[in-house]
Amino acid sequence: MARLKVTQLRSGIGTKHNQRESLRSLGLKRINDVVVKEDRPEIRGMIFTVSHLVKVEEVE
């Protein structure tokens, strides 16, 4: 199964509550935090919600 490397590029301050919760659920707490997650529909949905705050790369 593919994995996704998610890097937070922008702050969640001033964003909507659901966007801040998506960042927290992804495990991102501060700018430049990096997490590697399984490529699942739930994770893709959270990434879509905060796509303007994060950068996503596929990892083997």
Side-chain angles (χ1 to χ4, degrees), residues 36-50:
V36 178
K37 297 285 185 180
E38 295 293 329
D39 189 4
R40 299 194 322 254
E42 310 87 60
I43 301 298
R44 286 276 181 172
M46 287 189 271
I47 291 171
F48 180 76
T49 302
V50 294

Side-chain angles (χ1 to χ4, degrees), residues 26-38:
L26 286 169
L28 299 168
K29 297 178 182 172
R30 58 187 60 88
I31 295 175
N32 291 325
D33 264 2
V34 178
V35 294
V36 178
K37 297 285 185 180
E38 295 293 329

